[in-house]
Amino acid sequence: MALAAVLVLGACAPEGSQARPESTTALATTSSVPAPATTRLREVKLDGKNPCEMLTQEQLTDFLIKRPGQQVKIATIEATGCQWPVTGGANSIVPVTTDGIEVWTEGKRVGKPTAIDPIAGFKAITVTTTLNPHRCDVVVDTAAGQYLAAGFSLTTDKPENFPQPCDRARQLAEAAMQNLLK
């Protein structure tokens, strides 16, 4: 379960790569979205950042996370993320240093990108897929050729007990960005 819930991002190989989506339905969700209007005023480089240290203990407590994060390698995007399982869901953060947000906004990866309000002054989008309608990732344009992805996935049959996946993913992204900007 832990690996399956890591990221929409991990299941989304670039177009034309050897990796295949689990279903042809995923191909129908590939789209291009105009880049969010906000221009990056500065860069926050993610090189060498430990994803399991991107949230403070206080933030983990606020998100009701009681277990230590688990590092997970995501081969399709050449990144290592951190996942914090909770009963009925999974939280994740992945610093990506091999691609920029453009892979999503230009439709080069499978998933539906949607522009959202900036996070800490940085362009941001949500990425969803029909393969997992109970999963949402928020992607923040932190630097040229880099982005921070924060995700939340419901793994319960009682979704009413949890925040909406995109709402929680945004909260995770906001918390991580707050720490990165310190």
Side-chain angles (χ1 to χ4, degrees), residues 165-179:
C166 287
D167 292 342
R168 175 51 54 91
R170 182 177 180 94
Q171 293 167 350
L172 290 164
E174 288 171 341
M177 287 302 296
Q178 175 186 4
N179 298 332

Side-chain angles (χ1 to χ4, degrees), residues 30-179:
T30 301
S31 64
S32 181
V33 66
T38 303
T39 302
R40 188 181 333 104
L41 300 176
R42 65 181 189 169
E43 291 194 338
V44 173
K45 295 285 192 176
L46 301 174
D47 303 282
K49 301 290 185 191
N50 180 337
C52 290
E53 295 175 356
M54 289 190 166
L55 298 177
T56 66
Q57 187 58 51
E58 182 179 341
Q59 290 167 328
L60 293 171
T61 300
D62 289 346
F63 291 125
L64 304 177
I65 296 171
K66 297 176 182 169
R67 295 180 235 169
Q70 304 166 351
Q71 283 200 355
V72 180
K73 290 195 183 289
I74 306 164
T76 56
I77 58 173
E78 300 176 27
T80 298
C82 189
Q83 181 174 8
W84 295 270
V86 294
T87 301
N91 305 274
S92 63
I93 292 182
V94 181
V96 179
T97 60
T98 56
D99 284 316
I101 194 172
E102 309 79 39
V103 297
W104 298 103
T105 59
E106 294 174 0
K108 294 178 182 174
R109 291 206 181 264
V110 178
K112 180 183 177 205
T114 304
I116 60 173
D117 289 337
I119 294 179
F122 293 81
K123 294 188 287 190
I125 60 173
T126 59
V127 177
T128 56
T129 177
T130 57
L131 291 176
N132 187 349
H134 301 291
R135 170 95 198 154
C136 182
D137 289 283
V138 170
V139 176
V140 183
D141 181 27
T142 60
Q146 299 188 1
Y147 63 85
L148 176 75
F152 184 70
S153 182
L154 290 173
T155 59
T156 181
D157 58 353
K158 296 189 182 252
E160 64 276 4
N161 294 338
F162 292 88
Q164 292 296 310
C166 287
D167 292 342
R168 175 51 54 91
R170 182 177 180 94
Q171 293 167 350
L172 290 164
E174 288 171 341
M177 287 302 296
Q178 175 186 4
N179 298 332

